[in-house]
Every structure is written in structure tokens, then in C-alpha cells.
């Protein structure tokens, strides 16, 4: 009779995990050495071919005891490592070690936040931490989500349920793509897009648009655009929403982390006037994916999410004091992503997280200064958060795109791309607090060499 493989929890779980964790950590280290840079060289076909060689038959007749080591090594060797200072394209942070360790506990215990009896402590922890984070943003409560996209969709859903299916979304040209997509998914009218000539929502244009519209309106402002990290003028927008009777949602998936910083918190003035706010701590919070939240000013509106399933939230159970968790998410089975967030908040405190925010914002200013003083490059503008847009001076858009792909093909650096002001820019999103001046200079030098080459 064969022996069943060990489980991750239970009395023998920790002893079963320890040697496997050694295998994983060794494979991560060896895979990183094999990669030798911020991402694998050779482009998509070469990476896929190398992975296929390791993977072989996905479901063999007989198992391979070396699969854990081999596949973790392959994943690490083929990763774009956000902890490498030259990996600076996206809002893709290097996660904190303490948050990642906490996430292991969630995977081992495997609670599910769809009923109290599957996650007794986790449900209490989520309730406490979400309220505390919402209060940090000046709101009353928050739901845990998979990230900015789900948070934005939930914000539109709550607005629709509060104001009816005739609700009209009004957003800037630089708003995140998940907002018009959410309007489409929810069967709302086509969004009204307000010009954003400098990358941010123009209050005068917004006033003009709101004056010409009737019916229930939801204005979506952005605190940290994906392209350039710009922040809409929130106090002015909030005032216009009050004057016109419009509901306000703020997508602060990127910029919300500024709340931890005494130096940068004022950039989010006006956030507390919003009905809903998207936050995302797998950006400026250094959490493993996923760690999103939707903060709400009116918790009673969450009743719109309520569903009854007798096996999860029977009336007599809830009357007896067992929490009903089905109005906390659109999802049913749901892992407690709140643990890693709670551990991080408790371990670092506001000052520790604020220091990380200050560091990456300072690195962005330093990199912008390097670009500004370099005769071979053009700077888009002073960074507001930690994103810097730049391009080779005198280059056309095709050259800019080719520079980025050249760095990717060679595995030397990961830069993003953004189109603003009618031109294509290289984008450096600096989220690694360990990045130093030498790495910043190296990043610009690599872009210069690839341009001239």
C-alpha cells in the first residue's frame, strides 16, 4: 500500500515543510544565478523553449520527486525579478521577506474566508485590519480584493446599486482601463471621458462636462496614474462633485501608499471626500500579489453584496453571533491575504513603511536629475511619486520602442513604455528601496548604449 504524501498543516505539517523549504530556497538562489540579470535573455521563444525542456510531460504516468526543485529553478531562471534594481518597468514591487513568510502560513493553513468556521481567527483579523486601513484613508471600512481592477469594479457596482443602472461614469483620459471595462461589464452607459492634456484630470473641463450632464454621475479621479504616477487635483474635483451632486471614486491603487509617509501624505489631500477609494498594497506596500482593498465611506452600501447560502450563513448562525462573510466580497472561496498585510503593518509600523515610500520617491527624483543633466536624453517632467518618463533626445517613437525591446531581448534591463503628449516614452518605475545611485546610473547607461547601438 502506497503512503500518501505529507500535508502542509496538522501536527506533522511543519516537519514536512522544512526540508521542502530548503529545496525551494536553494532552487530560487540557483535559478537567480543562472538568470544572471533582471530577466532571462533571448525573448519569449527562448524562454518558452527552456521552460518546455524542464517541464516535459505535464502529467506523467509516474511522478518525479525532483519536480519541486526543477520547476522552481526554471521559474527563477526565467523570472523578471522585481528585486533587481534594473527591473523597473511596472508597478511590480519586490515583496518584503516578512510579508512573504507570513504568506507561507496562509498557504499551509489554507483558511477560506467564505464562512467563519473555515477561518475563525482570519475573519476577525480581516475585520480589524481593513477598518484600520480605511481610517488611514479617512473612510469607514474596506474590503480585501485581488487588486486595483477588482476594487474599481466593486466601486462601480456599489455606485450602481446605490444610484441605479442609469449611473454614468465620468473619468479622465488617463484613468485606468479597468474603469471603462467595469462600466461595460456592469451594463452602464458609455463613460464620459474628460480631457487630461497634462496627464491629469482638468477641473475646468470636468466642470464643463458635469454642467451638461443629467442623472446620477460617478466621477473617477486617479491618485497615481499608471503611465506617469500623476495625481489628479483631488480637492478641486471633490468640490466639483459636491457642487454637482456627483459621487466620487478615487483610484489610488498606486498613490495610496503615500498615506504612510509624513513627507508625501499631503499629496492625497481630498481623498477623505471620496465615497470609495481603491488601494493596492502590492505596489507601494511591498506585498506579494495579491493585496488590494476598496475603502468605503458608507459601510451600509455593502449590503448590496449580500447573498444567502444556508451552508455558509444560515440565519440562526448569524443570529447566534457567527459572522456573515458573504457580503465582504464577490468571491466565495477566498484566502486571507490580510495576514501578510497585518504582519507588515505590525512589524514596520507607519514610520517604517513611510521610510520605504520616502526612499523610492527620492530615488525617482535622483534618477530624474540624472536624465535632466544628460545631453542624450529628454525628461518628461519631475516625478510626483516614483515614476520617471524619459526618452533618447531626438529619437522617434520607433527608436524608443526598439530600445526597450533591445534591453529585454538581451536580459539587461526592464523598462516600461508610456504614451503621453503624443509621444512614446521609456518608463522607469522605481519601487525597490534598496536601489542606489550606482544602479540608477547603470540603468541610464544601458539605455544610452542600446540607443547608440
Amino acid at each position: 500500500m502506497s503512503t500518501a504524501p505529507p500535508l502542509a498543516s496538522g501536527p506533522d505539517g511543519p516537519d514536512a515543510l522544512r526540508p521542502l523549504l530548503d529545496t525551494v530556497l536553494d532552487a530560487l538562489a540557483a535559478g537567480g544565478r543562472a538568470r544572471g540579470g533582471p530577466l532571462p535573455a533571448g525573448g519569449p521563444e527562448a524562454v518558452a523553449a527552456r521552460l518546455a525542456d524542464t517541464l516535459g510531460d505535464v502529467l506523467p504516468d509516474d511522478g518525479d520527486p525532483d519536480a519541486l526543485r526543477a520547476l522552481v529553478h526554471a521559474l527563477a531562471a526565467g523570472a523578471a525579478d522585481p528585486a533587481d534594481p534594473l527591473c523597473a518597468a511596472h508597478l511590480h514591487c519586490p515583496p518584503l521577506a516578512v510579508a512573504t513568510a507570513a504568506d507561507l502560513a496562509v498557504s499551509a493553513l489554507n483558511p477560506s474566508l467564505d464562512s467563519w468556521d473555515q477561518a475563525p481567527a482570519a475573519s476577525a483579523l480581516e475585520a480589524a485590519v481593513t477598518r484600520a486601513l480605511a481610517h488611514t484613508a479617512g473612510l469607514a471600512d474596506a474590503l480585501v480584493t485581488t487588486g486595483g481592477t477588482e476594487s474599481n469594479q466593486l466601486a462601480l457596482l456599489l455606485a450602481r446599486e446605490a444610484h441605479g443602472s442609469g449611473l454614468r461614469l465620468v473619468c479622465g483620459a488617463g484613468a485606468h482601463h479597468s474603469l471603462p471595462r467595469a462600466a461595460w461589464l456592469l451594463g452602464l452607459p458609455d463613460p464620459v471621458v474628460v480631457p487630461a492634456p497634462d496627464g491629469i484630470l482638468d477641473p475646468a473641463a470636468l466642470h464643463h462636462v458635469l454642467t451638461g450632464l443629467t442623472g446620477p454621475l460617478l466621477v473617477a479621479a486617479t491618485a497615481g496614474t499608471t503611465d506617469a504616477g500623476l495625481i489628479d487635483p483631488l480637492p478641486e474635483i471633490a468640490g466639483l462633485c459636491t457642487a454637482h451632486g456627483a459621487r466620487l471614486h478615487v483610484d489610488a491603487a498606486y498613490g495610496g501608499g503615500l498615506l504612510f509617509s509624513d513627507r508625501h501624505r499631503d499629496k492625497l489631500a481630498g481623498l477623505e471626500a471620496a465615497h470609495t477609494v481603491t488601494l493596492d498594497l502590492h505596489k507601494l506596500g511591498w506585498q506579494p500579489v495579491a493585496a488590494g482593498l476598496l475603502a468605503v465611506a458608507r459601510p451600509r452600501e455593502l449590503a448590496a453584496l449580500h447573498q444567502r447560502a444556508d451552508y455558509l450563513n444560515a440565519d440562526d448562525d448569524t443570529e447566534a453571533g457567527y459572522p456573515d462573510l458573504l457580503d465582504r466580497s464577490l468571491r466565495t472561496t477566498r484566502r486571507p491575504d490580510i495576514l501578510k498585510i497585518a504582519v507588515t503593518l505590525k512589524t514596520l509600523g507607519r514610520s517604517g513603511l513611510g521610510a520605504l515610500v520616502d526612499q523610492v520617491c527620492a530615488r525617482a527624483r535622483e534618477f530624474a536629475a540624472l536624465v535632466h543633466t544628460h545631453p542624450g536624453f529628454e525628461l518628461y517632467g519631475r516625478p510626483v511619486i516614483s515614476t520617471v518618463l524619459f526618452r533618447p533626445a531626438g529619437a522617434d517613437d520607433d527608436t524608443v520602442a526598439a530600445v526597450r525591446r533591445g534591453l529585454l531581448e538581451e536580459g539587461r534591463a526592464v523598462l516600461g513604455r508610456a504614451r503621453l503628449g503624443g509621444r512614446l516614452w521609456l518608463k522607469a518605475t522605481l519601487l525597490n528601496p534598496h536601489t542606489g545611485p550606482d544602479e540608477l546610473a547603470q540603468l541610464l547607461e544601458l539605455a544610452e548604449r542600446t540607443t547608440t547601438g
Side-chain angles (χ1 to χ4, degrees), residues 4-145:
L7 302 176
S9 59
D12 300 324
D15 289 335
L17 278 173
R18 282 192 179 93
L20 297 176
L21 292 180
D22 285 340
T23 298
V24 167
L25 296 175
D26 289 346
L28 284 172
R33 290 192 297 270
R35 186 181 64 244
L39 81 164
E45 289 187 7
V47 172
R50 290 194 292 268
L51 183 65
D53 286 344
T54 300
L55 182 60
D57 187 353
V58 174
L59 185 61
D61 290 336
D62 297 310
D64 179 0
D66 192 44
L68 177 64
R69 183 208 61 79
L71 289 176
V72 171
H73 182 282
L75 190 69
D81 184 2
D84 190 303
L86 302 180
C87 187
H90 301 287
L91 290 165
H92 178 199
C93 72
L96 292 165
V98 70
T100 306
D103 220 23
L104 169 65
V106 168
S107 293
L109 292 168
N110 209 28
S112 179
L113 280 161
D114 49 321
S115 64
W116 182 90
D117 57 357
Q118 298 176 79
S123 61
L125 182 67
E126 183 177 87
V129 176
T130 50
R131 281 195 301 269
L133 285 169
H135 294 167
T136 300
L139 280 76
D141 199 359
L143 303 179
V144 175
T145 70

